[in-house]
């Protein structure tokens, strides 16, 4: 099975007495810079191959330990394989928690582990109005972004296929503007429209759904 490779953990936190190890992945600030027009926002999601249940945690600066300080079975590059069982989203801090098991060579058993995913990107898709250019749409969204107090965002033109019930959105292949911004900022309204776009998709997508889809874990 291929594995999911999480971003390199930052500031690992270990509960020495009461709980499993928590790894807080740092963000790859240089991912996809060549594809997006606006300044990059750190993202914890990376498009790579994934299996249904196997996660790979990247190396951390110090040797990882469980709460009982057992040795963990790290790979040659220092990463740690994790068999994931469940995941949940905590809306108060906009983080996703992945729960699973890691193997301990000392006990020849699996220990509980929780991986904390932070700074997941929100992704929305704006459908341009007929006669409006992508440059005009980008300019209008910049104004919307500033009024919504979103400090930074990045965008790119992508092709999507629409085959649902909305009459105002043309069916078939469409060029739309994908916009990504940090989850520390609130969701945009689902009924948002503008002078240069007729609809916005993706505003109601949860961070957990985004993580599972980007990592191909389902």
């Amino acid at each position: 099975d291929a594995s999911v490779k999480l971003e390199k953990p930052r500031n690992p936190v270990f509960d020495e007495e009461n709980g499993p190890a928590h790894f807080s992945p740092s963000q790859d600030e240089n991912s996809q810079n060549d594809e997006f027009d606006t300044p990059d926002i750190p993202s914890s999601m990376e498009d790579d191959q994934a299996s249904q249940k196997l996660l790979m945690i990247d190396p951390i600066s110090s040797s990882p330990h469980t709460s009982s300080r057992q040795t963990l079975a790290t790979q040659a590059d220092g990463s740690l394989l994790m068999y994931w069982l469940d995941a949940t989203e905590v809306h108060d801090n906009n983080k996703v928690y992945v729960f699973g098991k890691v193997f301990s060579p000392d006990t020849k058993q699996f220990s509980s582990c929780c991986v904390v995913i932070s700074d997941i990107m929100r992704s929305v898709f704006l459908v341009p109005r007929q006669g409006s250019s992508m440059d005009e749409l980008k300019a209008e969204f910049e104004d919307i972004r500033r009024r919504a107090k979103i400090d930074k965002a990045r965008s790119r033109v992508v092709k999507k296929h629409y085959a649902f019930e909305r009459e105002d959105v043309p069916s078939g292949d469409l060029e739309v503007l994908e916009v990504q911004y940090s989850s520390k900022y609130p969701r945009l309204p689902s009924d948002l429209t503008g002078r240069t776009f007729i609809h916005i998709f993706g505003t109601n997508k949860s961070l957990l759904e985004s993580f599972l889809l980007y990592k191909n874990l389902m």
Side-chain angles (χ1 to χ4, degrees):
D1 285 346
S3 62
V4 177
K5 197 168 187 178
L6 301 181
E7 304 297 334
K8 185 178 292 185
R10 171 185 59 199
N11 298 329
V13 178
F14 304 101
D15 187 341
E16 301 291 349
E17 298 178 358
N18 301 317
H22 292 248
F23 300 84
S24 298
S26 63
Q27 312 311 318
D28 183 3
E29 298 186 1
N30 297 315
S31 63
Q32 300 180 330
N33 279 350
D34 55 337
E35 300 181 15
F36 285 88
D37 299 325
T38 49
D40 185 32
I41 297 176
S43 171
S44 60
M45 298 182 294
E46 172 185 285
D47 291 323
D48 54 3
Q49 291 184 333
S51 67
Q52 291 260 338
K53 287 291 183 181
L54 198 60
L55 295 176
M56 179 177 284
I57 303 171
D58 277 355
I60 57 177
S61 57
S62 60
S63 299
H65 297 283
T66 64
S67 58
S68 58
R69 295 190 176 276
Q70 298 168 357
T71 302
L72 297 180
T74 56
Q75 305 302 298
D77 62 355
S79 62
L80 177 67
L81 294 179
M82 173 186 174
Y83 187 88
W84 79 277
L85 300 171
D86 200 2
T88 188
E89 176 181 347
V90 177
H91 299 283
D92 291 343
N93 58 14
N94 293 321
K95 292 181 180 179
V96 168
Y97 294 79
V98 183
F99 305 97
K101 298 285 186 177
V102 292
F103 182 71
S104 171
D106 293 343
T107 62
K108 306 299 182 184
Q109 294 180 341
F110 285 87
S111 300
S112 296
C113 181
C114 175
V115 178
V116 183
I117 316 294
S118 59
D119 294 332
I120 297 175
M121 302 287 281
R122 299 191 192 277
S123 294
V124 295
F125 301 88
L126 289 80
V127 182
R129 290 188 183 276
Q130 186 174 5
S132 296
S133 68
M134 284 297 176
D135 288 338
E136 291 173 328
L137 176 50
K138 291 176 184 178
E140 183 177 9
F141 185 81
E142 278 295 291
D143 182 58
I144 293 173
R145 173 187 67 79
R146 286 190 291 267
R147 286 190 281 110
K149 300 187 185 304
I150 298 173
D151 289 341
K152 291 189 296 184
R154 60 186 188 182
S155 65
R156 62 179 175 181
V157 178
V158 297
K159 286 187 177 181
K160 295 293 181 180
H161 187 88
Y162 186 74
F164 298 100
E165 70 281 357
R166 293 190 63 93
E167 296 181 356
D168 56 339
V169 178
S171 60
D173 293 330
L174 300 173
E175 278 196 346
V176 300
L177 183 68
E178 178 185 5
V179 177
Q180 293 188 354
Y181 63 96
S182 173
S183 58
K184 70 181 182 180
Y185 302 111
R187 297 178 181 181
L188 292 171
S190 59
D191 59 351
L192 180 65
T193 60
R195 176 177 44 83
T196 60
F197 64 98
I198 57 177
H199 189 67
I200 182 171
F201 289 101
T203 57
N204 293 324
K205 185 167 61 175
S206 68
L207 299 180
L208 177 58
E209 179 184 355
S210 296
F211 172 72
L212 294 177
L213 289 175
Y214 271 77
K215 287 300 186 180
N216 194 24
L217 291 179
M218 300 298 290

